[in-house]
Amino acid sequence: MAQRVVAEGLFDWPSDEPRLIGSKCQVCDLVAFPAYPNCPNCGSLDVAETRLSTRGTLWTWTRQRFQPKNPPYLGTEAAADFVGYGVGYIELPEARVEARLTGGVDEPLEIGQEMELTVVPFATDADGTEVLTYAFRPVENSAGKN
Amino acid sequence: MDDVAIIGVGRTPFGRFPGQTAIQLGAQAVRAALTDAGLEWKQIQFGFAGSFEVDNPDAVINFLGLTGIPITDVYNGCATAASALTQAANTIRLGEYDLGIAVGMDKHPTGAFASYSEEYGLPAWYGETGLFLTPKFFAMKIQRYMYDHGISPRTLAKVAAKNYRNGSISPLAFRRTPMSEEKILTSRMVNDPLTQYMFCSPDEGAAAVILCRASVAHRYTSKPIYLKASVVRTRKLGAFEVHSPWLPLQRADAPTVFASRAAYEMAGLGPDDVDVAQLQDTDAGAEVIHLAENGLCKDGEQERLYAEGATEIGGSIPVNTDGGLIANGEPIGASGLRQVYELTQQLRGTAGDRQVPGTPRVGYGQLYGAPGTAGVAILST
Ligand SMILES: [Zn+2]
C-alpha cells in the first residue's frame, strides 16, 4: 500500500529506527520541536537540526473522544466509526513532546509510565495512500522496571 | 494618570438567538448600558468593539446612530473583551477622551472551535493529525494539576454543579437548570478527566461597559464603580499553554499569573482584598487552576475549598456568581465584559438572588484562552 508522511522533516522516514527531528539553538542551547527556523527563546537564527531521544515518560495525557473537524483533521472515517485516540506529552531528556498515543481509548494510562516512539498510519487519502505520523506507545513490560 | 469609573453596564441574554445577528445583539447590549448610565448614544465619545466572528463589530453604529466617533475593532483570542476594556480605559487615562464604551459581541457555530493551525503560527501537520484542539489542552492541564496537587474528579463536578446552580438564578444565563454532581460525573467523557457537562459551550451574546474619567463620574451616577486595573499578558516560553506541540523542560508560570500580579500592583490591592471573583471556566478544571493562578488560594487548597463551599455565593471567596462560562457559554467578544457586568452588579449591591452578602468592595475578573493570552480586571467601590 502506498504511504506518505504527514510532513517532511518531522521525523526520519523511511527508517528502521526513526527519530523526531527538532532544532537546537547554537547560542542558548535550547532544543525545540518541531525544528524551528529560529530559537523561540532568544530569537537567534543560528539553529541546527537535532534528533530527539525515542524513549521517555508520560507527563500528562487525555483521550480525544470526539472526532476533530475535517479539515484540518485528515481522518475521514464516518462519525460512527470514530474510535478516538490518546494524546499526551512525553517527557524526553531534551523536551516534552506532544503526541498521539497508540492503543485503544480504554487502555489504562498513567503519568510517569515509560513510552517509546513509533510511526503509525492515522488517515487515508482519497487515492488510498496511507498517511503516517509519529506517536508514542507504552514500553512493554515497563511495569517490572524500576 | 486619571482613574477610570464604570457608569453603565449592559448585556443580552447569552444562548441561541436565531434570526438575530451578532451586531444586532451588540446594539442591544449598548442600549442596555446607555439606559443603565442614563446616557444617550450621542454622548459617547469613542469606543472599542470586540468580536471573533464579526470582522467589523463597529458596524453596531448602524443600529445606534452614525455620530462619527472613533471606534477601533479588536480581536485578541479569549482575551478580546479584556483588550477592548483595557484600551478603552487607557484612552481615558491618557486624557484623550472623557467618556467611552467597550462592547463585545459574538455568534458562534455549535461545537468546539475549529480553525487551521497555520493561522496560529503552527505547522499544518498539527491540525492534520488531530492535535489542534482546545478542549484536550484543558484536559491535559488539569490532568497534570490533579496529579501534582491532589485534586479529585469530585471537585471538578463540584465546580460545574456550583456554576449551573448559580446559572439557575441568573436570568440572563444560557444554562439555567441545576445539575447534580453525579450527573456531571457520569455524563459522556469528552477528554479525560473532563466530561460533557464540565465544559462550557460557544454560544451567542453581547455585553457593553461605559467608562468615564473618575472625576466626572458623579455627573452620571451616585454609585460609580472604579476600574482599578485592566491588563493583558501573553505566554512566556515554558508555560503549559493551549496549542503547544512541545514544551521545554523548564516550566514557566502561566500568562494569568503575570497578568494577575500586574493588575494587583496597578490596583494597589492583593488577593486578600478580593470579595468576589469571575474566573475563566472554559471547563471545571480551568476554574480550579485559575483560582490558584490568580493568587486566590494555594495550589492544592481547592480540594478543601470546594468541599467546604468557600466558592459559593455565601462563601469566603465567591467565584462565578452568575454561573461563569459553564452556565453562560462563551461568546468570545463579550465574555470578559459579561464578567465586568456581573462584578458591577455585585459591587453596587444589585445582583438580586446572586448578591454576595455583606458589602463586597473589590471584584476580580480573569480571562484566558488561545493562543496563551490572559486578561485581568480589578474593580472596586
Ligand atoms: Zn536561543
Side-chain angles (χ1 to χ4, degrees), chain B residues 42-370:
Chain B
K42 65 184 180 196
Q43 292 173 272
I44 300 293
Q45 298 167 358
F46 74 95
F48 284 85
S51 185
F52 174 83
E53 305 282 354
V54 181
D55 282 345
N56 295 292
D58 62 294
V60 71
I61 60 174
N62 286 350
F63 300 100
L64 296 165
L66 303 176
T67 55
I69 61 170
I71 302 182
T72 303
D73 294 329
V74 295
Y75 169 66
N76 199 12
C78 292
T80 294
S83 301
L85 184 72
T86 301
Q87 296 306 316
N90 286 345
T91 300
I92 292 169
R93 287 198 183 97
L94 292 171
E96 202 176 349
Y97 293 100
D98 286 335
L99 197 157
I101 192 163
V103 56
M105 64 205 78
D106 255 312
K107 191 176 178 81
H108 303 294
T110 55
F113 292 107
S115 44
Y116 289 92
S117 40
E118 300 94 302
E119 292 163 4
Y120 282 71
L122 294 164
W125 63 260
Y126 192 63
E128 290 171 354
T129 59
L131 294 177
F132 188 58
L133 297 156
T134 307
K136 64 117 174 88
F137 156 75
F138 286 104
M140 286 194 284
K141 187 166 179 183
I142 190 64
Q143 181 90 274
R144 181 72 202 192
Y145 194 88
M146 292 164 82
Y147 174 86
D148 284 338
H149 302 294
I151 304 297
S152 65
R154 171 66 60 178
T155 291
L156 302 183
K158 284 183 185 296
V159 172
K162 166 184 68 70
N163 291 352
Y164 289 117
R165 200 159 49 243
N166 290 349
S168 75
I169 53 169
S170 301
L172 302 176
F174 181 25
R175 312 261 180 223
R176 302 208 54 214
T177 310
M179 201 180 297
S180 71
E181 292 170 23
E182 282 327 301
K183 183 171 178 188
I184 292 162
L185 275 174
T186 56
S187 65
R188 181 170 56 86
M189 187 64 80
V190 174
N191 288 116
D192 315 40
L194 300 173
T195 64
Q196 178 186 359
Y197 294 124
M198 292 179 186
F199 279 104
C200 83
S201 345
D203 63 348
E204 305 169 17
V209 173
I210 299 173
L211 304 165
C212 77
R213 186 186 313 287
S215 57
V216 299
H218 63 276
R219 291 183 203 161
Y220 309 104
T221 176
S222 57
K223 187 149 191 191
I225 302 300
Y226 298 97
L227 181 64
K228 303 297 285 185
S230 177
V231 300
V232 172
R233 288 290 185 276
T234 57
R235 62 209 172 282
K236 293 195 182 194
L237 183 71
F240 183 15
E241 295 304 309
V242 61
H243 308 324
S244 298
W246 70 291
L247 297 167
L249 296 177
Q250 181 74 37
R251 254 187 105 170
D253 282 331
T256 292
V257 173
F258 296 100
S260 176
R261 281 185 202 149
Y264 283 129
E265 189 177 333
M266 189 175 174
L269 295 166
D272 290 344
D273 298 312
V274 175
D275 298 314
V276 53
Q278 304 295 121
L279 305 179
Q280 174 91 19
D281 55 328
T282 315
D283 64 282
E287 183 177 305
V288 168
I289 293 171
H290 290 153
L291 203 62
E293 286 186 352
N294 290 287
L296 299 171
C297 75
K298 292 192 168 57
D299 286 322
E301 270 187 334
Q302 299 94 331
E303 188 72 5
R304 177 179 59 78
L305 291 174
Y306 281 90
E308 291 175 359
T311 58
E312 301 286 335
I313 285 171
S316 56
I317 175 66
V319 176
N320 289 330
T321 47
D322 66 353
L325 280 80
I326 286 178
N328 284 276
E330 187 184 21
I332 286 178
S335 200
L337 297 172
R338 187 262 308 157
Q339 294 181 334
V340 172
Y341 173 93
E342 174 66 6
L343 293 171
T344 300
Q345 303 297 349
Q346 291 288 348
L347 300 188
R348 286 174 177 171
T350 53
D353 292 344
R354 311 184 307 282
Q355 183 62 48
V356 167
T359 313
R361 269 198 62 249
V362 176
Y364 187 101
Q366 174 250 351
L367 294 174
Y368 167 79

Side-chain angles (χ1 to χ4, degrees), chain A:
Chain A
M1 184 179 293
Q3 291 185 323
R4 70 173 177 95
V5 292
V6 69
E8 295 293 338
L10 183 57
F11 52 88
D12 302 307
W13 198 261
S15 167
D16 293 333
E17 293 179 339
R19 294 176 71 173
L20 295 176
I21 303 170
S23 54
K24 183 170 184 176
C25 176
Q26 303 301 291
V27 176
C28 76
D29 286 341
L30 182 83
V31 174
F33 172 81
Y36 275 53
N38 59 281
C39 172
N41 181 40
C42 72
S44 166
L45 294 174
D46 188 8
V47 294
E49 213 173 79
T50 187
R51 289 323 191 251
L52 304 189
S53 303
T54 58
R55 272 203 183 202
T57 55
L58 191 59
W59 187 69
T60 187
W61 61 274
T62 186
R63 294 188 181 94
Q64 184 55 36
R65 292 178 186 264
F66 67 89
Q67 192 171 22
K69 285 178 183 165
N70 173 336
Y73 185 52
L74 293 183
T76 53
E77 61 270 60
D81 297 334
F82 180 78
V83 291
Y85 46 89
V87 181
Y89 281 83
I90 315 301
E91 185 166 315
L92 303 175
E94 300 86 6
R96 297 186 183 112
V97 169
E98 189 178 13
R100 288 174 65 122
L101 308 176
T102 64
V105 284
D106 295 318
E107 201 169 294
L109 291 165
E110 216 174 308
I111 288 175
Q113 77 181 77
E114 275 195 80
M115 307 291 285
E116 65 185 359
L117 183 72
T118 182
V119 171
V120 295
F122 75 99
T124 308
D125 288 338
D127 66 0
T129 303
E130 274 190 340
V131 189
L132 304 175
T133 190
Y134 72 95
F136 278 80
R137 65 183 172 209
V139 175
E140 281 178 42
N141 304 321
S142 72
K145 294 184 180 176
N146 48 22

